[in-house]
Each structure stands twice: as C-alpha cells, then as structure tokens.
Amino acid sequence: MHKFSLKLRLMIAFSTFFVLIGSICFLVSWFEAKESTDEFFDSYQMALARNLASADWEDVNHSVLKHTNFEFKNIKNAQDDDEAIGFAVFDLSGNMVFHDNQNGKNFSFKGYTSAFVNENVKGDLWRIMRIKSADKNHIIAIGQELEYRSDVAWDLTEEFMLPWIVGLSVLLMFMLMIIEREFRPLKKAALQIKNRKPDDLSQVQMSGLPKEVLPLVDAINELLQKLQTLLQTERRFVADASHELRTPLAALKVQLEVLQLCLDDKEALNKAISNLEQGLLRSAHLVEQLLTLSRIENLMPDFDDAQDINWKHHTENILNDYQTAIKQKNLRINCDKLTNKGPISKANQTLIATIIKNLSENAVKYSPKGANIDICSDDKCFEIFNLGVTIENKHLEHLGKRFYRPSGNNEKGSGLGLSIVKHIVQHYNCDLSFTNVDNGFKVRVTKQ
C-alpha cells in the first residue's frame, strides 16, 4: 500500500488541524454572538416598550407621525433599517391608533401577553412583545425580525473571526514553508546516498540535518562502516588467499609432474606420492585456517551464545589430541597452576577452544625436544610458557599478523593461527601479548 511522504502528511495534518480549530472557533463565536445579540435586542425592545407605555396615546394622530418621519429624515449620517425594530399601538377594542409607518402597521392585535413570542409577519418571523400602556387603555406591540438578529450575529462573528482567519492562514503558510525548508537537508542526504557509486561507503554528511534524525543517520553511518570493514576484509582475504595459495598450488603441480616421471621407479614413486600427500595436507590446512579467520572476522556476532568456560577442561582435552607429538619430542607439560577460571568467564565454547588449540599447537610444535611447557590460568590471565625457546625481539611486535612467520623457522605452518587467536581475544576485550622471559617464550591472554 502506497504511503504519503512524511512532509505531505505533516502538511495535511497541520492544514486539517487549522481548518478544524478554525471551524470550531467560528461556530462558538457565532453562538456567543447570537446569544449576546438576542440579549441586547430584547433589552432594547423592553426599554422602548417602557418609554412607549408611559406616553399619552389619547390625542395622538397621524400628523404627529408625519412630523416625526420628517425629523428623522433630516438626521445626518443616520442609517434607518426598517427591519431593526417596529411598533404599533392598539386600543382595547383592537383598533390600531398609531404605528411606526413601516413594519408596525402589519402587526396584529392579540391582546395583552406581557411576554416575547415569535410570530409570522407577512412571511417573515418576528419576535414581538405586547404590554399595556400606563393608563391601561392601550396595548403596545414592539417587534423585531429574527433574521435581522441573525444577520447582526453573523456580521459580528465575521468581524471578530476575520483577523484570526487571516492570521491563522498566514501562520499555516509560514509553517508549511518551515516544513519545506527543514526537509531540504533530508532530501539532500537522500540524493547524496542515491547518487553514490556502489563501492562508495563513505559516511553520510550530518551537517544541517535535524537533531531528531541524527540517530538514524548515525545508524546508517555505522552500518556503512561495518560494510566497508567487511568489504576490506573480503578483499584482503581474496588477496591473501590468492597470494598464499599460489606457492603451494605451484608446488603441487611440480610434485604431480615428478610423480608422472616416476611411474617406472617404485621407490621414487612412493616418495613422490608422500610428498604430494604432504603438500595436499598443507594446502588443506592453509585453506581451513583462511576460512576460519574469515569467519571469525566477519561473523563474530554469530558466536555470541555465551556459556560458562572451564579453561582447565578445554586445555586438557586439547592436549590429549597432541599426546603423540608430545611423546615424540619428550615434552614435559606442567598444568599444576591451571584452574577452571580464565580471563574470559562467559563466551562461545568453540572460540575459546580455538584460542587454546592454536596456542597449545604452537607450544608443542615450536618447542625443542625435552623442553618444559608450563600452562597456568586464573580469573585475569591464561598463560603458556615455553622454557628454552626464545624469539628475536624484532619479530615479537609482528606476531599475530596475517601470514607472518619468523625467518629461520623450519616448522610447517600457515602463519594464521596467532592472527585467529588475536581476533577472538580482542572480541572479548582481552589482550594478547608475547614476551621473552627467563630463557623462555611466554604467551599471555589477559583481561583488559
């Protein structure tokens, strides 16, 4: 279902609100004006009736009426509306003895009422009251057309509401202009994003944007930053993989050619097959490490199922997998200071096992025969110490980088194990450090 834009919805909402409020105010003003008009003209009719009732109507004749009309016509700046008021004077027999020479002559005699009544006078509705004169010999009828009262009420309402209507209309136009102006930065930001190239993941400019949308723009920029990091990681992974796999694949090709040349020599053939098998294992291990590193770098949130970690249990299980290599090299593993606790108390079990596996594998692989390996842990640190093994200081700061392996090392490896450990450790707000201490090499995972 198509939805209107926020700007259009705001404009419609404000316009509807102003029309609704204006209509309510207009109706309330009209009813108030109508009530005030009725009260005023009722009071005016009663005051006129009081004056007429006190007059002497016995000797009044129509020559007086003519003289009165002549005097009124000579009044300057006078506006005489024949609907404003009308009156007539009747004797007790019902004979009209005097009237205003306008609408009063159409009034009918209905006796003494002493109250306001609505009557039809020549097709128009009039509000008429009748009272007796002071001498009790005459009935005085004073009336006013109701439509005139309504016209006066409408005129008062229009005069009162017109400035408000004009003011509200100007205010509405001003608000619509403000809405249009305030939405321009949003439109500009939208065009900026729309016109970007697919590989442009730079931050969205936040200058001039309303404060209310800054959290949204921040979230978009954060997402763009994550996408940029992910894209850089993928590019680096492709570049590293293509670079690192080129040599083993070339070696496999050479070994295959050697194998083809040794088909007639059984001993050479077996040796070529063994070399090819070792090359395949190294390549498979390299690919596995590359995929592990890529998954850890890009999909770390997928490993957020935190569980209690037993560091001693994980370490002992992993060391059991290396018992053959440990016995072949006559290594002595000391785990007396290894506890169940470690620098990371809750984490994904697989990731912690990966840390311990890579560090333990390096300790076993790079220790000379008969060496001692001390493994210890507490709630702040996990540590592996290789006695009799040291690394040149110039190499220490590069450990943990992708594919970095100190020169002069004859052991086979991909140079990715410590990089994998470093990423996992940093995800859990810990540090990975390497030091040469007391004629030995120490690896420490410590809580920040």
Side-chain angles (χ1 to χ4, degrees), residues 6 18 20 39 48 63 66 96 112 117 158 169 172 178 184 188 213 285-286 296 305 325 328 360-361 398 439 441:
L6 176 60
F18 276 110
L20 180 62
E39 291 178 358
L48 179 60
S63 62
K66 291 180 181 180
M96 185 179 292
Y112 171 66
V117 293
E158 289 175 359
S169 299
L172 177 60
I178 291 178
R184 286 176 186 171
K188 182 179 179 181
V213 301
H285 178 71
L286 175 60
I296 289 174
D305 52 331
Q328 288 177 351
S360 300
E361 181 181 0
H398 299 290
N439 195 31
F441 176 72

Side-chain angles (χ1 to χ4, degrees), residues 304-338:
D304 283 342
D305 52 331
Q307 301 176 14
D308 292 331
I309 302 300
N310 188 324
W311 286 78
K312 184 175 182 179
H313 176 73
H314 279 293
T315 304
E316 290 176 346
N317 287 340
I318 290 171
L319 289 176
N320 286 333
D321 296 336
Y322 294 100
Q323 283 302 312
T324 301
I326 292 173
K327 291 179 180 179
Q328 288 177 351
K329 301 179 75 171
N330 193 26
L331 300 177
R332 291 181 294 275
I333 309 296
N334 180 15
C335 297
D336 293 341
K337 295 183 180 180
L338 179 63

Side-chain angles (χ1 to χ4, degrees), residues 176-203:
L176 296 180
M177 291 173 59
I178 291 178
I179 292 175
E180 174 67 26
R181 187 187 68 180
E182 292 299 321
F183 271 83
R184 286 176 186 171
L186 292 177
K187 187 176 181 181
K188 182 179 179 181
L191 290 176
Q192 176 188 351
I193 297 175
K194 182 179 180 181
N195 296 330
R196 285 187 175 194
K197 296 181 179 179
D199 59 344
D200 184 5
L201 297 176
S202 59
Q203 301 286 288

Side-chain angles (χ1 to χ4, degrees), residues 358-375:
N358 280 281
L359 295 181
S360 300
E361 181 181 0
N362 285 347
V364 172
K365 182 186 295 185
Y366 297 108
S367 293
K369 291 183 179 181
N372 293 331
I373 299 176
D374 295 333
I375 304 177

Side-chain angles (χ1 to χ4, degrees), residues 57-104:
W57 298 103
E58 293 294 337
D59 300 324
V60 174
N61 54 52
H62 287 284
S63 62
V64 176
L65 180 62
K66 291 180 181 180
H67 176 73
T68 303
N69 289 337
F70 176 78
E71 292 295 332
F72 275 116
K73 288 180 180 179
N74 290 331
I75 297 177
K76 296 181 179 180
N77 301 325
Q79 296 181 358
D80 186 17
D81 195 334
D82 61 355
E83 297 175 349
I85 203 75
F87 72 90
V89 181
F90 301 88
D91 59 21
L92 297 181
S93 300
N95 299 315
M96 185 179 292
V97 297
F98 196 80
H99 57 77
D100 60 359
N101 201 32
Q102 292 182 345
N103 293 293

Side-chain angles (χ1 to χ4, degrees), residues 29-257:
S29 298
W30 185 85
F31 281 113
E32 291 291 335
K34 184 68 168 61
E35 183 178 358
S36 299
T37 302
D38 287 339
E39 291 178 358
F40 172 77
F41 282 116
D42 283 349
S43 299
Y44 175 69
Q45 283 182 244
M46 288 189 291
L48 179 60
R50 188 178 294 111
N51 292 330
L52 293 176
S54 62
D56 183 10
W57 298 103
E58 293 294 337
D59 300 324
V60 174
N61 54 52
H62 287 284
S63 62
V64 176
L65 180 62
K66 291 180 181 180
H67 176 73
T68 303
N69 289 337
F70 176 78
E71 292 295 332
F72 275 116
K73 288 180 180 179
N74 290 331
I75 297 177
K76 296 181 179 180
N77 301 325
Q79 296 181 358
D80 186 17
D81 195 334
D82 61 355
E83 297 175 349
I85 203 75
F87 72 90
V89 181
F90 301 88
D91 59 21
L92 297 181
S93 300
N95 299 315
M96 185 179 292
V97 297
F98 196 80
H99 57 77
D100 60 359
N101 201 32
Q102 292 182 345
N103 293 293
K105 61 185 178 182
N106 298 318
F107 290 175
S108 60
F109 175 76
K110 291 188 178 181
Y112 171 66
T113 59
S114 187
F116 283 98
V117 293
N118 295 334
E119 295 181 6
N120 191 295
V121 179
K122 297 190 69 173
D124 296 322
L125 195 61
W126 283 65
R127 185 172 176 80
I128 301 175
M129 69 170 294
R130 294 177 176 86
I131 62 173
K132 285 185 178 181
S133 62
D135 58 10
K136 307 296 184 182
N137 295 324
H138 297 84
I139 301 295
I140 301 171
I142 301 129
Q144 186 177 47
E145 188 178 0
L146 292 179
E147 184 178 356
Y148 177 79
R149 292 190 176 191
S150 298
D151 291 341
V152 172
W154 277 114
D155 290 342
L156 291 175
T157 303
E158 289 175 359
E159 291 178 3
F160 174 76
M161 288 299 300
L162 183 60
W164 283 97
I165 293 174
V166 173
L168 288 175
S169 299
V170 173
L171 179 60
L172 177 60
M173 294 299 298
F174 183 69
M175 292 186 66
L176 296 180
M177 291 173 59
I178 291 178
I179 292 175
E180 174 67 26
R181 187 187 68 180
E182 292 299 321
F183 271 83
R184 286 176 186 171
L186 292 177
K187 187 176 181 181
K188 182 179 179 181
L191 290 176
Q192 176 188 351
I193 297 175
K194 182 179 180 181
N195 296 330
R196 285 187 175 194
K197 296 181 179 179
D199 59 344
D200 184 5
L201 297 176
S202 59
Q203 301 286 288
V204 178
Q205 297 298 321
M206 300 175 64
S207 59
L209 292 177
K211 183 178 179 181
E212 290 74 13
V213 301
L214 292 183
L216 175 61
V217 179
D218 280 335
I220 293 175
N221 285 336
E222 184 177 350
L223 177 60
L224 290 174
Q225 182 63 40
K226 291 179 179 179
L227 290 174
Q228 187 174 27
T229 302
L230 179 62
L231 183 60
Q232 291 175 349
T233 302
E234 293 296 333
R235 288 173 176 172
R236 188 166 59 247
F237 171 78
V238 172
D240 291 343
S242 60
H243 174 74
E244 294 299 323
L245 289 174
R246 185 181 296 115
T247 300
L249 289 177
L252 289 176
K253 182 179 179 182
V254 172
Q255 291 169 3
L256 181 60
E257 293 174 352

